[in-house]
Amino acid sequence: MKKTPNYFWPSKPNVNFHKLLLTLKIMTILLVCGLVLPAYSLTPGNLSADEQQIKVSGTITDGSTNLPMPGVNIQVKGTGTGAISETNGMYTITVTDKNAILVFSFIGYVTQEVPVNGRTVVDIVLSAVTTNLDEVVVVGYSAQKRANVVGSVASISGTTLQQVPSVNVSNSLGGRMSGISVLQETGEPGQITPRILIRGRSTLGGTRGGEPGTTGVTQTRPLIVIDGVQGRSMDEIDPMDIASISVLKDAAASIYGSNAANGVILITTKKGAEGKPRLNYQFYQGWMTPTIIPETTNAQEYAQMLTEYQVQNGKSRSYTDKDIELFGSGVDPWEHPNTNWYNDLIKDWTTTYRHNFTIDGGFKGMTYYLSFGLKGDESMYKQSSTKYTQYNVRAKVDLPITDWLSTGIDIAGFQIHKLYPYKSADGIVGQSTRLLPTRWSFWPTGEPGPDIEYGDNPVVTSTFAGGKNDQMTYRYLNTFNASIKPPFIKGLSLNGSYSYDLNNYYNKAFYQPWTLYTADFSKATRDPNTGFIVSQPLTPGLRGLSSPQNNETYNRTINETINLNVVYSKKFGAHSISLYGGFEQYTSDYNQLYGFRQYYISTLIQTMDAGADQDKNTTGTASIYARKSWIGRATYDYKGKYLAEVLFRRDGSLKFPPDSRWGNFPGLLLGWRASEEDFWKNNIAFINYFKLRASYGKMGMDPGNPFQYTNSFGLSSGMVFGTGSSIETAVGPPVIANPNITWETQTTQNIGFESKFANDLFHLNFEVFYNKREDILAPRDASVPGFSGLSLPNENIAQVDNKGFEIDGGVHKNITADLRIDLTANYSYNHNNVVFQDEPKRSVEWQQTTGHPYGAWLMYNAIGIFKDQAEIDGYPHWSTAKPGDVKFEDYNNDGKIDGDDRILIDQCDAPNSYYGVNLDASYKNFTLSVLVQGQGKYLRFNHYDERRGEAGNYFKWTYDNRWTPENTVTNIARAFNRNDYYWGHAVNMSTYWLSNVAYCRLKSLVLTYNIPSTLYKKLGIANASVYVSGNNLALIYSAEKIFDPEVNGAGVYPAMKTFAIGANIGF
Amino acid sequence: MKKISNYIIGFAVLIFTATSCTDVLDQQPVNTFNQDVVFSDINVVKSYLGKCYDRMGGNTDNGVLGMREDLLSDATDQTLCIHRPANYGNLKGTLSPDYGGYFTNTGYAGFLMWDNIYANLQNITTIIANIDAVKVTTSTDEALKVRLKGEAYFLRAYSYSMLLMNYGGVVLMDKPNTLTQDYQTMTRSTIAQTKDFILADIASAITNLTGQTIEQGRATPAAAAALKSRVLLFCASKLTNGGYTGQESNTLVSFPAGSQTALLQAARDASKAVMDGTYGAFSLVGTTTEPVLPLTSAQIKTYSETYQNIFIQKGKWNSETIWGIQYPLTGGNVNNANIWFGPCGYHNWGNNDPTEPAVRSFEMADGTPFVWDKYTPGDQYLRKATAAELAADPNRSPYNGREPRFYAIVLYHGAPWQARPSDVVPYDPNNLVQSGHFYLNDEKTVRALGCDTRQGPVENWNGTKTGYYLKKFLDPTSAGQFYRNTTTWVEFRYAEILLNYAEACIELGGADLQNGINALNLVRRRAGLPSRSLASNQATARTYLRQERAIEFFAEGHRWYDLRRWMTFKDVVSNVYGMKVKQMDNGNYEWKLDLTDNEDSRTWGGDKYYWLPLTRTEMNKAPNLQPQPGY
């Protein structure tokens, strides 16, 4: 089919216009700021000096953010002369020798020595030290220096995040830190909540990742805390606003008590720094194309395969040999089309973009940080219907009132707009793998062809022809805080904060009939020679819905958090202590209203009242949640050598009855910085840093609905009684109460070390952990049969163990003054094991899922394909087996294949191992950042749905090398139809339908060029850089043709490969 | 300094306020009731009972009782599920404790499921156990309380009869279950005890419901009495009275030797009580006077429509309907009969196609059997007729001159049906079903592919596999591709009572035989067929009765129970082949049952298949539960 000629811009002109306008607006703001503010902030240096002295000046920028760096220390080597860079990153220093060497140093950054070589302008890019001991790490309710952290806390700085441009943050986490796997299971714009696992899973529940059309996130989701507040969304946060992300993996998470057992992700946003206003603008524009599109058979292959099935099973043929030939030759598009639905649906390229604008600064202790962001992601559908657009603003002001009282306010707003066509991605993309290639997406004359069912022809239903799903989310996040530092007790502060987060979600789904065309074959004009149709009348018809209809949903969520705490820290000689005590209360209130009307007389007026009064529907619901917590932390260190930390949290939850409402969650963490000991320094000094850590802690999890401790009777619609048509409201059936319900508890043990060798040239960290989750909420399945009629409540009965280790290491070297390389790698492994669940005794012991990892899948073991009747006769089989059928293993060797032969297949839930390799290199004005990531064995379902054969196309992998009477030695089964073949996945699942999605991919690559400031200094621009980047550029993977290893199967919107350009300008 | 301490005091006050004032942890649920609340208000109990109605039948896909995408009749010889035939394991030899297909919800939806029926029983029993204690003040509410209790007894009886008729004797519980109960030692009751339990509930239902004003759709004394007629007839059958060789003394599935006569009498009397108007006046719709043969085409149409209107009722039910389930256009339970069953050339999904043997079983309009090879004796597969021959004898078409119900139940090639959707009008301006193809006069060259076939131009993967569509439940006034059906699923109707009575009488024989034939003839005459004369021998009468039940209740699901009761399943299970119709331009026709087109391979797995197996999972959880014989 026709390709979109212009690759670079979306095809809809109004969208272009809208974007252009916006870009213009941003550029105007930039220009104004660029011209006015620098002029205001620049102060001319004192340039008078005597003749022998050479004035050297230049700009110092941060290599990762490209922001100017104030406060950098500049020394002339071997002299006492020094200078400090100004707020705009500029410096001036006087040297007396044209061969002098300048030393640039800044805490947390790699010190650089640069010969002047007679130059008068020396621009410098400083890069952060990646394993810096002075780096401040947020650990939950406080921050610690990296050297003093005793928990297993992975962290990533905002500068690193911003270095790798990506439209959302969660995508930037995978591969960069050990112990965290991020599974982005769809590429659909706006569907950006990934499945994040910290150290795999230590619990039951949720669905297997490998199962068709499901994602299991609820029970395993880590706690996400943004600026100290829970319940905020990580998906939409502007990467530019992030100062740091920390992940608490071990007992360090105990400070979050009842919600922390799956680990905690802490995100801290930026705040302003004192100084003249600093402006920064970042721009990113990417072009995306699917990584892997599931291949299906073409018309000829499909007809051939269907015919094989029909012949083998004594059914009448749908296609003659002549038909099959014509499908292949393509000479008769009216009656023998060859449609590639996917190609007709999508364009080769689509776009994604991001703009960010920030200003920060401050004076006299008052600081401010303002940011504005815009980002968008467009769909690959030809009509660009699906669309994700987000605007975000953030204002953070810290205001000292007196010298002992300071206050702050942080306000963030998000407006998220998602547009989807009438059909969901599953309905469009999934159906495209199912639609028959022997039917018409478009008629040869260009009109859309007929439907599959319900009027669904995805080339039309992927557009707004059938109406749209218009989803708006408005988030308002507000935090007010105050801090009192009484001058009479040094080290003491009393702090309080209050957050009020309001989320409004509004979805208007207005649908309308669309037009498809039907051909009248009996009135066709045929070529007298070939007999092929040359033209025929096409009849338009309205399809899908009888009349326009409107579905509106309005959700409101209010989350409030109050935190009051006391902090005290003190140093007594070589001893340092810090204490934290706090109280926190979190409440959440959710409300939903839904309305439906139909029979709209026109699509022009789409309000609810314009719909007809009959056959309408309204519904709604509400829910509440609350938690109160007491929080404590004490840390102690002796000379930075012996480190200890005690954590405590006591949580009370609304979900549980008063008797079992409160839970205690302690944690103990110890560290020993052995490299500070004299014996170490005297003997193994080449290990210049070594810290041994151990932790033990308890934390909890409270999944599921509140009020499970009472019999709860929900509301729903019931029956129609009487002679009208109204539906009675029904109550129940009840969920049986578990009056004793309480937390799941997890004990976590972790031991590990951090080390650096040869003066920070190498680093190596290693840790091993053991999580034991008890009291997991699960039904008492074994002892309560179906005839009890009870819908079993969850009880705190199950136990899962999870063990693993993580290793990360790297090399960090300045090879020359111009070239620096940081190469790091991490590898994580974990393995869980269901220790107890109330499982009925299986008739054969190998089907007992207890003792297997969660998600083990019971199925037949496919051990090949019966090549002929003789092979069937020679091995146990089902009576219906034919040559070409899947051969199941007779596992118990009893000479027959039955339910007992099914075995449990592990590794169907998530990969056990995953890894990442990062390379950061800077050479002169270039920096390169490369991330390779991958995962180990993970078995996933490789089909989409059962409707293949008569009712749907085949996947190409089932066609290639399939069994036929001529091709008998193969690992692909014969042609089949839906579920009427005994080895079908819907009837009898087997390993035949699983693929290993272990993979290794070039996840991202960014090459940045820092433009020398001499080129634009006069314009008032402090720094400027441009970059090119790519995501998902290369992939090593065995199930190539079927689907991307990261997405959730062949029926979901594919993962995208992105090529992007961007720029960063600071003033 | 003083100022500072003020701040600190203020801070402390703040902590105190936040922690002690309103305890956010002591809130009540905002979107659910708890049990105490439910049983404190009779109107909430009513809504709880509403949920029990909503879950009748043990189905999973919103379909209450028989109305669903894949019908129970697909488990018999009458119809074929074109989409998911493999889920009917009883026709595939695959039914086992490990694989129950639809009966254990493997693959897609499910019905008559053990777990679901028991879940509803728990709810119903909870109501029965607690309703007496609900405080009411007015006499209206007092009456409501009695009525709801009666309805609950009916629902419990209905649920247990589903279990009895599929599993035999089952675990009986008259108190709500608790989590702490010992289920390990529990066992199934005998089929006789199960029957008695059901009859007691029916009696309680009738007692509590009698004299009440009851809205349509809720349980009535008549519904309870009709259930009694159905259950007793099942209990009086060959299957449960020594017919199951080797299991004659297995009290789970067989009554004690010598019980059958008494059971038949009880079944007869239960039906007779309804016929006598004890529970209200019911009658067959339409006329039951002896038809004057031959019927005119207008008369055939009238008889046919009268019959079909029973299944597409909306609003107030007719005189034949004893009890049914109503469906709304939006919200609530879903009845999509038109799109589920209708021809693909209407953008419908063509499911539950009548099979050729079932189509042939319809009589001719004069009450004689249809004979396929009437014109070419010995050829059971091919019929041909020229235009001239058809003009001389229209009955050369197999679809001409058949009994009126045929035209209400089956859509065949050439049958008139709804106006086509606009996009299909070019293929069929005449609104006649095209389940065959159009040929040139050479009888070889296709001129046009029928738009309701699996080769046609419209959604052909939903085309019929047998050459027929099921018309019976289709609402001619509704466009299935856009709208749900709002027609009633009739669960109990008077015709069933008459044929239950007839069967009991015929099986009793002797003096009852005539009464049985008389009742049967009422149903026949309403259908426009001539009366059967008194058969001198019971076997002939039995043949008449079985023929009548098959046709009268076509696709309503009774066949599943009838074939098992009579133990005739094994005689009717056979592969399903497609009927191929060629319509030539010159008006010649060819009808061919295509043995090269095996649309569904079927096999009968033996007598054990007369009962559903208990699942292995259930047996593992309750090891003392007696297994189903044969599995």
Side-chain angles (χ1 to χ4, degrees), chain A residues 65 187 191 241 294 451 564 608 622 661 666 682 761 830 1030:
Chain A
T65 60
Q191 303 301 310
D241 290 348
D451 64 348
L564 301 166
M608 203 43 101
R661 175 172 289 166
N682 297 337
L761 180 62
N830 62 269

Side-chain angles (χ1 to χ4, degrees), chain B residues 565-604:
Chain B
R565 287 194 298 121
W566 305 330
M567 297 188 77
T568 53
F569 231 123
K570 62 180 185 302
D571 306 328
V572 298
V573 172
S574 64
N575 292 352
V576 178
Y577 297 100
M579 165 56 59
K580 301 295 166 63
V581 183
K582 282 184 177 182
Q583 179 179 345
M584 269 56 78
D585 284 350
N586 57 13
N588 293 357
Y589 275 89
E590 179 188 301
W591 299 270
K592 184 182 170 192
L593 182 63
D594 187 356
L595 291 188
T596 68
D597 181 18
N598 177 8
E599 288 294 355
D600 193 34
S601 294
R602 293 182 169 185
T603 176
W604 177 246

Side-chain angles (χ1 to χ4, degrees), chain A residues 967-1024:
Chain A
N967 181 35
T968 58
V969 181
T970 175
N971 58 349
I972 303 292
R974 66 178 172 91
F976 56 91
N977 183 45
R978 284 192 92 129
N979 67 355
D980 60 344
Y981 50 107
Y982 75 87
W983 40 270
H985 60 79
V987 184
N988 289 300
M989 183 66 189
S990 76
T991 55
Y992 180 70
W993 301 105
L994 295 180
S995 286
N996 182 0
V997 296
Y999 76 89
C1000 175
R1001 86 187 319 164
L1002 176 51
K1003 188 70 186 170
S1004 83
L1005 184 151
V1006 188
L1007 179 65
T1008 309
Y1009 176 64
N1010 297 297
I1011 304 169
S1013 64
T1014 42
L1015 298 176
Y1016 48 71
K1017 205 160 75 175
K1018 291 199 178 77
L1019 297 172
I1021 296 172
N1023 63 300

